[in-house]
Amino acid sequence: MRIGDAAAAVGTTPRALRFYEQRGLLPPPPRTRSGQRDYGPRELAVLRVIRQLLALGLTVEDLRGVAGRLPLLAVHPAPRCGTAAADRGGPGVVGEAVVERRIAALDTEIERLTRLRDGLRAGLSVPRGGDRPQRSTAR
């Protein structure tokens, strides 16, 4: 499958697939005789895992450190990415430290956004002379 078809199959763009390859998340796929990337079922499965983990909030940098283990999730999807899989007793594919770091970063961002929201809300509740939006009476 060519890069455009592979990208469409996993819901992204050819540029993103090249980026994943460039950043080391995806090993270079085999090439056709004409030099075009040729994605097979294995590559598509890994791409789906990458897209799912990114959608969960992990970053490309988070995944770089565990790129070699991403094919494991493609073959044996784990119920949890960070901790030991309940039925296998082994370490999670992504790793607890990576997931905990990402959760801490998300918590920090949530706190920042909450402060921003509260500040905006406080600014709206303080009447400031002519700063108040006026209703239009024209219909």
Side-chain angles (χ1 to χ4, degrees):
M1 175 178 300
R2 300 293 193 280
I3 194 167
D5 296 329
V10 298
T12 193
T13 64
R15 184 176 178 182
L17 269 55
R18 287 186 205 99
F19 178 74
Y20 299 155
E21 184 181 331
Q22 196 176 51
R23 299 303 291 166
L25 301 185
L26 183 69
R31 301 263 182 168
T32 64
R33 280 195 231 192
S34 62
Q36 294 181 329
R37 291 169 174 86
D38 190 20
Y39 294 89
R42 256 181 276 157
E43 290 84 12
L44 289 178
V46 172
L47 284 167
R48 284 187 186 97
V49 166
I50 291 168
R51 300 288 296 155
Q52 289 168 349
L53 292 172
L54 292 173
L56 283 172
L58 293 172
T59 66
V60 169
E61 289 305 311
D62 292 334
L63 298 182
R64 279 185 74 187
V66 296
R69 296 188 308 221
L70 294 176
L72 296 174
L73 275 178
V75 176
H76 302 289
R80 294 174 282 174
C81 60
T83 58
D87 60 342
R88 289 196 286 291
V93 173
V94 174
E96 193 168 347
V98 171
V99 173
E100 290 298 327
R101 274 194 313 269
R102 190 65 192 135
I103 289 170
L106 289 170
D107 286 342
T108 299
E109 183 67 3
I110 289 167
E111 290 170 13
R112 184 187 73 79
L113 290 171
T114 300
R115 285 191 308 272
L116 181 62
R117 181 200 59 206
D118 294 346
L120 285 171
R121 203 175 266 152
L124 287 175
S125 65
V126 177
R128 296 186 185 262
D131 290 347
R132 214 166 200 200
Q134 295 181 0
R135 285 190 181 157
S136 174
T137 55
R139 290 187 188 216

